[in-house]
Amino acid sequence: MKKSIKDFDLNNKKVIIRCDFNVPIINEEISDDNRIIESLKTIKYAIDNNAKVILMSHLSKINSEEDKKNKSLGIVRDKLNNLLGKNILFSKDTRGAKLERIINNMKNKDVLLIENTRFEDYPENRESSNDEELSKYWASLGDIFINDAFGTLHRAHASNYGIGTYLPNGIGFLVEEELKKLSVLDNPDKPYVVILGGAKIKDKIKLIEKLIKKADKILIGGGMAYTFLKAQGYNIGNSICDDDSIAFSKKMIDKYSQKIVLPVDNKVTKKFEDTEENIIVNSDCIPDGYMGLDIGPKTIKIFENELKKAKTVFWNGTLGYSEFNNYSQGTKEILDYLSKLGIITILGGGDTVSASNKFGYKDKFTHESTGGGATLKLIAGEKMPSLEIIDELES
Ligand code: AMP
């Protein structure tokens, strides 16, 4: 069992808590604050136990100075002010004398949020490459490291893996809860159905080989589906596709034809915008110049038919570009159908959970995980480096 925040005396200690505040921001507003809300338990515990609380998180990717302007954690600080009902200190610097001064002046129960850790990724890729000097520096700012960023456990970056290597460490309540809830998928009640959608094809597609060993069916939709449709020899127009994964997809379809279920129809459009100018076409009839942005009605029925037989469902990745109203129907209808089945249903992923919350299905499922890639990798049995370096509780 991993050490947790409860196993430390936090009184008067500088406690660095790695949170996952990588929240969706639309028109300068946080469109889904689920990850922030879920982090509060650990933060409040540290405050109540007289720690000096230092919060760190990444937000999106930083590849330019322009990104730095748009991806500041300042917006999260404002949210935390409201949620915790206290003034949260904020350091615009991710290192240096000003940051150190703020920390040296902190009193017990003060909370500091440090700017987006990925600001260290530009111009040099220090955070994401787990730069040793940066890891040691950040570790030098605290006495104890608590990792509560479930969504990044599968990565080895300076702010999670790096700091954790140099400080006494443990997990927070969010990570503890996620691991407990997701453990039902170790031995799922059968039939077990996995729904896989979304757009990060390269990141996820190889995991299918592991997931499929446990799953009875894998329903593939969203942006994920078109690489498979192309692998079957279909024209996919301008639909999102990872050409490097076509051979792999073909291998999967050939080997697991009884388990993999692909869309038979799609809502396609010429323009990537929220437009009603779209048509429904069968998967073997996507015209040139069109892109698939949602599954079609026949596919929805086929997916529902598979889900009806299931006892356990795990879902990662929306079934269409659900940020656009006109392409959210597949995701919405499957959410609705699942919410009424009363079976073990786990939603894994930022976007999947955001969509579920947006469409009114918050708390309607067994578990709504804060992690996307992390959840998927965990249940596929992949390595979770930032969890592995957390100390075990001595018995
Ligand atoms: P992921 O992080 O892999 O779960 O991807 C989530 C993203 O995939 C969301 O922004 C979805 O809107 C997007 N997505 C889902 N279906 C499609 C599609 N058919 N084409 C492009 N993007 C999609």
Side-chain angles (χ1 to χ4, degrees), residues 60-73:
S60 187
K61 289 192 172 129
I62 303 292
N63 295 315
S64 64
E65 285 301 330
E66 193 59 26
D67 278 348
K68 289 190 179 179
K69 282 188 206 131
N70 300 327
K71 292 167 182 176
S72 166
L73 279 180

Side-chain angles (χ1 to χ4, degrees), residues 259-353:
K259 287 193 172 188
I260 292 178
V261 183
L262 293 170
V264 296
D265 60 348
N266 311 267
K267 200 184 257 188
V268 301
T269 177
K270 279 185 181 164
K271 293 186 210 140
F272 184 70
E273 57 188 50
D274 199 356
T275 168
E276 282 174 26
E277 285 168 39
N278 51 55
I279 48 172
I280 308 263
V281 291
N282 286 345
S283 292
D284 56 355
C285 301
I286 299 176
D288 281 336
Y290 282 75
M291 71 189 93
L293 289 185
D294 202 359
I295 53 172
K298 284 191 261 184
T299 306
I300 295 175
K301 284 281 158 280
I302 290 171
F303 281 12
E304 285 176 355
N305 206 33
E306 293 298 342
L307 294 168
K308 191 163 64 186
K309 298 176 234 164
K311 288 220 171 77
T312 308
V313 174
F314 171 73
W315 181 358
N316 172 280
T318 52
L319 296 173
Y321 198 85
S322 57
E323 290 90 334
F324 290 163
N325 235 342
N326 284 291
Y327 302 100
S328 58
Q329 194 178 348
T331 303
K332 260 192 223 167
E333 288 202 18
I334 297 296
L335 277 167
D336 193 62
Y337 190 79
L338 273 174
S339 71
K340 291 173 182 151
L341 282 182
I343 56 174
I344 296 168
T345 304
I346 298 199
L347 304 187
D351 287 302
T352 320
V353 173

Side-chain angles (χ1 to χ4, degrees), residues 87-357:
N87 189 34
I88 307 300
L89 304 165
F90 184 63
S91 169
K92 287 186 179 156
D93 299 312
T94 47
R95 62 165 87 208
K98 277 194 201 158
L99 167 63
E100 290 155 30
R101 206 170 315 124
I102 299 174
I103 293 176
N104 289 336
N105 288 331
M106 281 175 81
K107 295 188 284 299
N108 292 352
K109 296 186 188 291
D110 278 353
V111 182
L112 163 69
L113 174 63
I114 298 180
E115 184 55 284
N116 189 349
T117 53
R118 287 200 182 155
F119 277 27
E120 290 284 346
D121 276 348
Y122 187 82
E124 283 166 85
N125 196 33
R126 287 170 186 264
E127 151 76 325
S128 299
S129 69
N130 188 27
D131 180 81
E132 192 182 340
E133 182 265 330
L134 179 63
S135 304
K136 281 185 181 159
Y137 172 73
W138 276 341
S140 75
L141 302 174
D143 302 310
I144 296 167
F145 175 67
I146 297 298
N147 195 347
D148 214 19
F150 176 76
T152 70
L153 286 183
H154 60 307
R155 302 202 181 105
H157 292 180
S159 66
N160 47 15
Y161 186 95
I163 307 182
T165 329
Y166 298 109
L167 281 178
N169 60 47
I171 52 174
F173 293 113
L174 186 160
V175 168
E176 200 172 57
E177 187 78 3
E178 288 275 9
L179 296 176
K180 199 166 97 193
K181 292 264 175 69
L182 291 170
S183 66
V184 300
L185 298 178
D186 292 346
N187 290 303
D189 281 357
K190 303 273 234 165
Y192 170 38
V193 176
V194 171
I195 310 174
L196 207 56
K200 289 199 200 96
I201 306 167
K202 236 187 193 41
D203 284 2
K204 306 200 241 185
I205 203 159
K206 286 269 155 52
L207 298 175
I208 290 178
E209 200 159 21
K210 294 197 169 165
L211 295 169
I212 218 158
K213 301 231 161 83
K214 246 179 221 174
D216 297 285
K217 294 276 172 174
I218 297 205
L219 317 181
I220 298 177
M224 188 66 76
Y226 299 97
T227 306
F228 285 86
L229 295 180
K230 195 166 176 182
Q232 284 190 308
Y234 297 156
N235 184 29
I236 57 163
N238 295 335
S239 308
I240 185 172
C241 176
D242 178 33
D243 283 330
D244 295 340
S245 301
I246 290 179
F248 175 79
S249 307
K250 177 137 190 17
K251 193 175 105 188
M252 288 296 101
I253 298 169
D254 290 345
K255 196 165 168 191
Y256 299 108
S257 61
Q258 300 302 308
K259 287 193 172 188
I260 292 178
V261 183
L262 293 170
V264 296
D265 60 348
N266 311 267
K267 200 184 257 188
V268 301
T269 177
K270 279 185 181 164
K271 293 186 210 140
F272 184 70
E273 57 188 50
D274 199 356
T275 168
E276 282 174 26
E277 285 168 39
N278 51 55
I279 48 172
I280 308 263
V281 291
N282 286 345
S283 292
D284 56 355
C285 301
I286 299 176
D288 281 336
Y290 282 75
M291 71 189 93
L293 289 185
D294 202 359
I295 53 172
K298 284 191 261 184
T299 306
I300 295 175
K301 284 281 158 280
I302 290 171
F303 281 12
E304 285 176 355
N305 206 33
E306 293 298 342
L307 294 168
K308 191 163 64 186
K309 298 176 234 164
K311 288 220 171 77
T312 308
V313 174
F314 171 73
W315 181 358
N316 172 280
T318 52
L319 296 173
Y321 198 85
S322 57
E323 290 90 334
F324 290 163
N325 235 342
N326 284 291
Y327 302 100
S328 58
Q329 194 178 348
T331 303
K332 260 192 223 167
E333 288 202 18
I334 297 296
L335 277 167
D336 193 62
Y337 190 79
L338 273 174
S339 71
K340 291 173 182 151
L341 282 182
I343 56 174
I344 296 168
T345 304
I346 298 199
L347 304 187
D351 287 302
T352 320
V353 173
S354 290
S356 162
N357 292 348

